[in-house]
């Protein structure tokens, strides 16, 4: 063994005798204060008390690694209502994917409103979109070489195919803002207005302090523009989102629909009313202070959110109006969810407000703080 002494280029050899003469010192023990978890926690999912659906065989689920912290950080999730249960691998390639494509163009790494400290996650859902008022663009017309439309033929009809306008408005949930926007324009200027009104950060990251006022204004939200979006309202229902993106990976594509039916059944058993139709444009005033109040719920399939190897992947958003729930205003991500876990998630997380540590991937609150255990 050799050591180099400061101020000299000579190496001194340590003999056994010299080593014996070295006084050993040890680091003192430091007692760190106990930091409680940011949310109530139970260690594992309880054993189901009633029959549940079988877990499909042959799914290659990774079960060795700790999945706590495996959720990608984000500031807002745009949940587009498509009325469909599966999509192409890249959801922006869908014929109806104009909103996602436009948003990616503006918010992506080279986009006009790109902000590395405010990540917006774009996701399709099986929820039905709200009925949008007809516009001039929806009138059937002859296609041109520059038309961003696709022909759709009616089954069993010899009539020429109608032209489906890809700039028709869309509907979207915004989470954890817990807002619903029934009519989102999908043309370029309309999408820009949507981004300015709802998707930019309300408060910029401190790293932006060096920017000019004009540059800051480019990145900061303009909430007064929300008035342009008629029917936009707060979300008062529980949202259970299950990755069922079979066009991306067979594991979630197989397990997602099974978990959807399981959640619907177990929520119904707990007398939680399930919403099936598209949201109404205006929210109904709820008496959330009433004793025993439990919100209604929506259960839907969504596109890829990362981590197919941990299927089933489930996000549970608890609305702020469910004030007696300790998880109100938060989104909780679970992985490796099986049908046998659904009853426990409904009872422990959705109704009792406790995170199941065994399944926990991460979470987010309304302040955009990422939850870790």
């Amino acid at each position: 063994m050799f050591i180099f002494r400061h101020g000299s280029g000579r190496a001194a050899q340590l003999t056994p005798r010299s080593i014996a003469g070295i006084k050993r010192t040890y680091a003192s023990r430091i007692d760190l204060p106990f930091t409680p978890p940011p949310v109530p926690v139970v260690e594992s999912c309880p054993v189901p008390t009633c029959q549940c659906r079988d877990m499909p065989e042959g799914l290659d689920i990774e079960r060795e690694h700790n999945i706590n912290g495996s959720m990608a950080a984000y500031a807002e999730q745009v949940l587009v209502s498509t009325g469909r249960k599966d999509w192409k691998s890249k959801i922006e390639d869908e014929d109806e994917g104009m909103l996602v494509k436009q948003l990616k163009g503006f918010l992506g790494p080279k986009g006009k409103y790109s902000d590395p400290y405010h990540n917006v996650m774009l996701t399709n859902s099986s929820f039905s979109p709200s009925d949008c008022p007809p516009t001039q663009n929806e009138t059937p017309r002859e296609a041109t070489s520059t038309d961003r439309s696709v022909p759709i033929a009616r089954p069993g009809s010899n009539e020429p195919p109608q032209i489906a306008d890809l700039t028709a408005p869309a509907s979207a949930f915004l989470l954890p803002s817990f807002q619903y926007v029934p009519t989102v324009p999908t043309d370029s200027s309309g999408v820009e207005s949507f981004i300015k009104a709802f998707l930019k950060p309300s408060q910029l990251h401190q790293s932006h302090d060096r920017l000019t006022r004009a540059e800051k204004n480019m990145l900061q939200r303009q909430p007064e523009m929300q008035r342009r979006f008629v029917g936009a309202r707060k979300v008062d229902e529980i949202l259970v989102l299950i990755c069922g993106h079979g066009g991306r990976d067979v594991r979630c594509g197989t397990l997602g629909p099974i978990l959807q039916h399981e959640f619907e059944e177990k929520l119904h058993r707990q007398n939680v009313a399930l919403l099936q139709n598209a949201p109404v444009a205006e929210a109904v005033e709820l008496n959330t202070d009433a004793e025993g109040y439990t919100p209604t719920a929506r259960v839907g399939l969504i596109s890829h959110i990362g981590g197919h190897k941990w299927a089933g992947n489930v996000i549970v958003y608890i609305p702020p109006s469910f004030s007696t729930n300790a998880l109100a205003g938060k989104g909780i991500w679970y992985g490796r969810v099986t049908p046998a876990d659904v009853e426990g998630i409904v009872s422990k997380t959705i109704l009792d407000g406790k995170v199941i540590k065994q399944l926990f991937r991460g979470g987010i609150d309304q302040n955009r703080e990422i939850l870790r255990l």
Side-chain angles (χ1 to χ4, degrees):
M1 177 184 290
F2 292 90
I3 62 170
F4 286 93
R5 299 187 184 278
H6 294 291
S8 172
R10 293 180 302 167
Q13 184 173 3
L14 292 180
T15 64
R17 178 178 297 178
S18 62
I19 292 176
I22 295 176
K23 182 180 180 180
R24 298 184 180 182
T25 60
Y26 299 91
S28 60
R29 178 178 176 181
I30 300 176
D31 291 326
L32 298 176
F34 171 72
T35 303
V39 290
V41 173
V42 294
E43 285 295 321
S44 58
C45 204
V47 176
T49 63
C50 58
Q51 187 175 3
C52 56
R53 290 164 175 80
D54 293 332
M55 179 71 179
E57 296 181 358
L59 298 183
D60 184 18
I61 308 298
E62 195 282 317
R63 300 191 179 278
E64 298 300 323
H65 291 83
N66 182 2
I67 58 176
N68 179 22
S70 64
M71 179 198 85
Y74 65 101
E76 197 78 67
Q77 182 176 16
V78 179
L79 192 69
V80 182
S81 300
T82 71
R84 298 175 54 184
K85 295 185 176 181
D86 202 0
W87 308 271
K88 295 179 180 178
S89 179
K90 295 182 178 180
I91 58 176
E92 64 269 25
D93 291 341
E94 291 286 350
D95 292 339
E96 304 88 351
M98 185 55 67
L99 176 59
V100 173
K101 188 176 296 184
Q102 292 270 25
L103 288 173
K104 289 193 72 170
F106 283 117
L107 299 172
K110 297 181 180 180
K112 182 177 180 179
Y113 302 113
S114 175
D115 184 346
Y117 303 101
H118 189 82
N119 180 40
V120 177
M121 182 169 59
L122 307 176
T123 315
N124 275 355
S125 79
S126 62
F127 298 138
S128 298
S130 297
D131 292 333
C132 299
T135 66
Q136 291 182 349
N137 289 337
E138 290 172 337
T139 305
R141 63 191 188 283
E142 293 295 326
T144 66
S145 60
T146 59
D147 204 348
R148 290 184 297 177
S149 307
V150 294
I152 297 180
R154 295 179 180 178
S157 173
N158 293 324
E159 298 178 8
Q162 291 183 321
I163 300 299
D165 189 357
L166 300 188
T167 60
S171 302
F173 291 85
L174 308 179
L175 302 154
S177 290
F178 288 91
Q179 290 178 293
Y180 176 72
V181 185
T183 306
V184 182
T186 53
D187 61 282
S188 181
S189 62
V191 171
E192 277 202 78
S193 296
F194 176 62
I195 292 171
K196 293 175 182 178
F198 295 99
L199 299 186
K200 290 182 179 181
S202 298
Q203 184 174 354
L204 295 181
H205 190 271
Q206 61 184 10
S207 298
H208 293 315
D209 289 347
R210 68 181 187 276
L211 299 179
T212 66
R213 172 49 54 189
E215 290 172 328
K216 290 180 179 179
N217 290 340
M218 176 71 73
L219 292 176
Q220 200 157 10
R221 185 179 302 182
Q222 301 173 36
E224 67 277 4
M225 294 184 64
Q226 294 181 8
R227 294 191 295 267
R228 301 183 185 183
F229 295 82
V230 179
R233 66 167 179 85
K234 64 180 181 178
V235 172
D236 286 313
E237 58 262 41
I238 298 161
L239 296 178
V240 179
L241 312 176
I242 307 155
C243 183
H245 199 168
R248 189 73 174 260
D249 190 279
V250 69
R251 287 166 288 195
C252 284
T254 300
L255 189 53
I258 296 173
L259 293 177
Q260 180 183 20
H261 294 311
E262 193 72 25
F263 269 104
E264 290 173 341
E265 178 184 299
K266 296 305 187 283
L267 285 165
H268 180 72
R269 281 176 172 266
Q270 294 288 351
N271 297 316
V272 178
L274 295 172
L275 301 177
Q276 302 289 351
N277 297 326
V280 295
E282 295 183 3
V284 178
E285 287 296 324
L286 301 173
N287 182 14
T288 58
D289 295 327
E291 184 178 354
Y293 165 76
T294 301
T296 55
R298 293 184 188 277
V299 181
L301 299 177
I302 59 173
S303 59
H304 179 62
I305 55 172
H308 285 306
K309 61 184 177 181
W310 299 312
N313 287 293
V314 176
I315 310 175
V316 178
Y317 284 104
I318 306 294
S321 56
F322 196 3
S323 57
T324 58
N325 189 307
L327 301 178
K330 296 177 175 61
I332 304 300
W333 286 49
Y334 285 140
R336 299 182 183 135
V337 176
T338 70
D341 298 318
V342 171
E343 182 185 355
I345 294 174
V346 170
S347 63
K348 294 300 180 183
T349 300
I350 295 177
L351 298 180
D352 290 349
K354 296 181 176 66
V355 165
I356 301 170
K357 185 176 181 180
Q358 171 193 9
L359 305 173
F360 185 67
R361 289 189 60 188
I364 188 171
D365 64 19
Q366 287 190 287
N367 295 321
R368 277 65 185 175
E369 294 292 333
I370 300 301
L371 306 177
R372 298 283 187 259
L373 296 181

